[in-house]
Amino acid sequence: MTSRTDQKEQTRQHILECAADLFRTQGVAGTSLTDIMTEAGLTHGGFYAHFKNKEDLLAHSYTAAMDSSREEWFEDIIEHEPEEALRLLINRYLSRDHRDNPDEGCPMPALLGELEKEGLCATEAEQALRTSIHRAKPSVAQARHLSPEAADAETVATFATMVGGMLLARSVADEDYSNYILKSCRAFLKKEIR
Amino acid sequence: MTSRTDQKEQTRQHILECAADLFRTQGVAGTSLTDIMTEAGLTHGGFYAHFKNKEDLLAHSYTAAMDSSREEWFEDIIEHEPEEALRLLINRYLSRDHRDNPDEGCPMPALLGELEKEGLCATEAEQALRTSIHRAKPSVAQARHLSPEAADAETVATFATMVGGMLLARSVADEDYSNYILKSCRAFLKKEIR
DNA sequence: CGTTTCATATGATGACTATCATATGAAATC
DNA sequence: GATTTCATATGATAGTCATCATATGAAACG
């Protein structure tokens, strides 16, 4: 019985990952359940053995994507000194590579716009954001020599700039201008503009 | 013949406005052409007398919304001294009022996420962004005593923070936390964190 | 005042999609 | 090895939507 249960759990995780990828690339409304199941190498009918409905899948896949994404971002960053850690985070988040690969990138710029309509996953989105901010806060506090409260506010605003910068960079047709947007936001966050 | 032509142009503008409102509130995919025409007090069939298709409507309504939105933001702001003008822009953009009324607010946080999928309106989005940045730049340059190039980069990043901050504030379930996000971004942009 | 024009309305059509009922076939259990 | 279980597949249904063909009725025009 274990093997079959394991198999099902594995399939569930696989669906979750495929969904997160497709949602980030094509949008939630632009991705059908059939798209997702096909991408997972399955057929559409089996979907409801794993999830209650599309919204249920969305909530789980958003959280899962935020978790694994956060894991990646902070995995090796924590090893560095605070100043370097913050610099690395900013450079990587606002990179061309991140811009060009939304399917494996941060879910926030890719999905928040759609989630907020109709209050979809508002609780999941909030919890995931809070966790990410909590994770980045120590580096910000030390790198900038800030009190805990000030560091929290600064971290929130830093995230806003990174998410907004990525959104703008992705929405622009001209690649040079898109690169310029990324560069400007990096310089701004690294306080290099004067 | 004039009266009828005028009438049609007026109807077209009205459809454009209704579409922009609904797109910003419910999203592009979440709004049907019937929704829009009904909101405009018309029936669905007449739509194609005014626009080629939904994408055509989207492009026009996004640009129109950006234009009128920009007009509102900068209308009375320009009258003030640069420092005060910038402060006003930040306070108004990152306000609860703006957060709670996306239908008459800036189209960027509301729509860019959906537009970037499939490269919809990438050219229109870029042009509108460039125009807005160009409009805000003088205030930033003077308020911050920056060279033209530095002012441009600073303006781009300021927009990123405002757009990202609004996106985050709107995506969060708890109103207190949402308020806190807005407040943090305002303080950050006004360089009040230390 | 009759005729034409055309802005808008009515009424299809075909495609797509979420969801559900039921079938199948391989693994697990006896 | 026969039977049961259940993960996944097949097939159906109902609803929605973009798009288009055609109708209507009022204003413009002669």
Side-chain angles (χ1 to χ4, degrees), chain B residues 33-54:
Chain B
L33 294 181
T34 304
D35 284 347
I36 295 165
M37 295 301 277
T38 303
E39 176 77 15
L42 302 166
T43 55
H44 67 279
F47 176 81
Y48 293 89
H50 296 280
F51 302 96
K52 197 167 134 250
N53 51 35
K54 193 179 181 181

Side-chain angles (χ1 to χ4, degrees), chain A residues 21-35:
Chain A
D21 287 8
L22 289 175
F23 284 158
R24 280 177 283 190
T25 324
Q26 314 177 355
V28 178
T31 306
S32 71
L33 294 182
T34 305
D35 285 345

Side-chain angles (χ1 to χ4, degrees), chain A residues 51-72:
Chain A
F51 303 96
K52 200 168 132 246
N53 50 36
K54 193 179 182 180
E55 188 176 337
D56 182 40
L57 167 68
L58 176 59
H60 282 97
S61 80
Y62 181 80
T63 302
M66 279 292 288
D67 287 347
S68 79
S69 170
R70 181 163 47 240
E71 212 46 51
E72 275 185 55

Side-chain angles (χ1 to χ4, degrees), chain B residues 28-76:
Chain B
V28 177
T31 306
S32 70
L33 294 181
T34 304
D35 284 347
I36 295 165
M37 295 301 277
T38 303
E39 176 77 15
L42 302 166
T43 55
H44 67 279
F47 176 81
Y48 293 89
H50 296 280
F51 302 96
K52 197 167 134 250
N53 51 35
K54 193 179 181 181
E55 189 176 336
D56 181 41
L57 167 68
L58 177 59
H60 283 96
S61 81
Y62 182 79
T63 301
M66 280 293 288
D67 287 347
S68 79
S69 170
R70 188 183 311 109
E71 213 45 53
E72 275 184 53
W73 290 108
F74 290 101
E75 192 177 28
D76 67 325

Side-chain angles (χ1 to χ4, degrees), chain A residues 25 27 29 110 112 116-117 126 130 133 146 152-154 157 160-161 164-165 168 170 172-174 177 180 188 193-194, chain B residues 25 27 29 110 112 116-117 126 130 133 146 152-154 157 160-161 164-165 168 170 172-174 177 180 188 193-194:
Chain A
T25 324
L112 279 187
E116 87 192 16
K117 311 288 189 320
E126 176 173 343
R130 287 184 121 118
I133 286 172
L146 292 169
D152 201 273
E154 175 102 3
T161 310
L168 294 182
R170 282 186 183 151
V172 146
D174 178 33
Y177 194 56
Y180 170 72
F188 182 74
I193 297 176
R194 82 204 89 143
Chain B
T25 327
L112 280 188
E116 86 192 19
K117 311 289 189 318
E126 176 173 344
R130 285 185 123 118
I133 286 172
L146 292 170
D152 202 274
E154 175 102 2
T161 310
L168 293 182
R170 282 184 183 154
V172 146
D174 178 32
Y177 194 56
Y180 170 72
F188 182 75
I193 296 176
R194 83 205 88 140

